[in-house]
Amino acid sequence: LNTPCRVCPNGCSRVHASVKWEVSATIDDGTGQAKLYADRDPALLVLGSGLDASTVEQGAWLTNEGILFQPSLPASTHLLRSIKEATLKVRRELTDSRLSQRGAYSVETSEIRANSSSVKNSAQRKVFDMLPDDGKAEYLLQQHCRHWYQNNCDRKLDLFVRCKPLSEHATTVNRAEIQVAQAVSAQNSLEFGLSISATLPPLKLKLEDA
């Protein structure tokens, strides 16, 4: 482990410790909702391939709350500040390097254009390398999850889940009032009103495979 503050209350050796992955979502089909939850291997299964899980786990050890991603939330202030600081350091290094090379030799314009893309990629990699471990972890998770969400938000999946039974106290449905609109042909207008609706309490599903 990378930090001494992670201690098992039962005195277990650190060699038995591991990072716990968790994924959760709310499923709504118009008639009711279900809360889907996955942890450990099933959670990584949902995230798919291409994620550097070991780097994310390395950074997760250094944070009290772990590394969090939510589509509706931007990157953390800590990550944005770390990227800004690392970018400034790389720019200073590149500026110093160019100044030292300027007096050493002249470079053709075509050669500069040919190398511009490789220099840009190299600079981006240097910025990432200068991030702290928890910054690298959040950056990778943000990048992977947002890319996954954009490309798979409409993807259909077959989910194998365990359904947690409803509480014995959940004996009634949830009543609610919803606004409805009714067309009035004689007046060529709409009338708005309230209608009584009911939904079942949210089901709790635990993902086993997909």
Side-chain angles (χ1 to χ4, degrees):
L1 304 182
N2 295 325
T3 176
C5 65
R6 303 290 182 259
V7 179
C8 175
N10 295 323
C12 300
S13 172
R14 293 183 180 181
V15 298
H16 303 296
S18 63
V19 173
K20 183 180 180 182
W21 288 82
E22 294 180 308
V23 174
S24 62
T26 300
I27 303 175
D28 192 335
D29 65 353
T31 63
Q33 292 183 340
K35 294 182 178 179
L36 179 66
Y37 171 81
D39 61 5
R40 297 183 171 86
D41 289 343
L44 287 173
L45 179 65
V46 173
L47 293 176
S49 61
L51 175 63
D52 186 354
S54 61
T55 300
V56 177
E57 291 178 354
Q58 184 177 354
W61 286 116
L62 305 177
T63 63
N64 293 328
E65 303 298 331
I67 306 299
L68 175 67
F69 168 79
Q70 289 184 349
S72 59
L73 297 180
S76 69
T77 303
H78 170 66
L79 175 59
L80 297 177
R81 183 172 60 252
S82 298
I83 291 176
K84 182 178 180 179
E85 292 174 354
T87 301
L88 291 176
K89 290 180 181 179
V90 171
R91 285 179 178 174
R92 281 196 295 266
E93 289 182 359
L94 290 176
T95 300
D96 294 342
S97 176
R98 288 169 182 168
L99 290 175
S100 62
Q101 292 177 1
R102 184 175 299 174
Y105 59 88
S106 61
V107 182
E108 295 294 335
T109 303
S110 59
E111 185 179 347
I112 295 176
R113 291 175 179 174
N115 294 332
S116 60
S117 60
S118 61
V119 171
K120 182 178 180 180
N121 292 335
S122 177
Q124 291 175 344
R125 183 64 193 180
K126 287 183 178 180
V127 170
F128 176 79
D129 291 339
M130 287 186 177
L131 295 177
D133 286 345
D134 54 344
K136 292 178 182 177
E138 184 180 354
Y139 176 84
L140 290 177
L141 192 62
Q142 288 273 347
Q143 184 185 54
H144 178 85
C145 290
R146 294 195 184 281
H147 182 268
W148 186 97
Y149 186 78
Q150 292 174 358
N151 291 276
N152 297 278
C153 59
D154 296 326
R155 180 184 175 190
K156 295 182 179 180
L157 294 173
D158 293 324
L159 305 177
F160 299 90
V161 301
R162 291 181 182 271
C163 181
K164 183 178 181 180
L166 293 175
S167 170
E168 60 181 6
H169 303 292
T171 57
T172 60
V173 296
N174 296 328
R175 296 174 61 85
E177 292 184 344
I178 58 175
Q179 189 177 46
V180 295
Q182 181 180 2
V184 182
S185 58
Q187 301 177 3
N188 194 23
S189 62
L190 292 176
E191 287 186 355
F192 295 91
L194 296 177
S195 177
I196 301 298
S197 180
T199 60
L200 291 171
L203 297 174
K204 294 183 179 180
L205 309 176
K206 184 173 181 180
L207 181 66
E208 298 292 335
D209 201 353

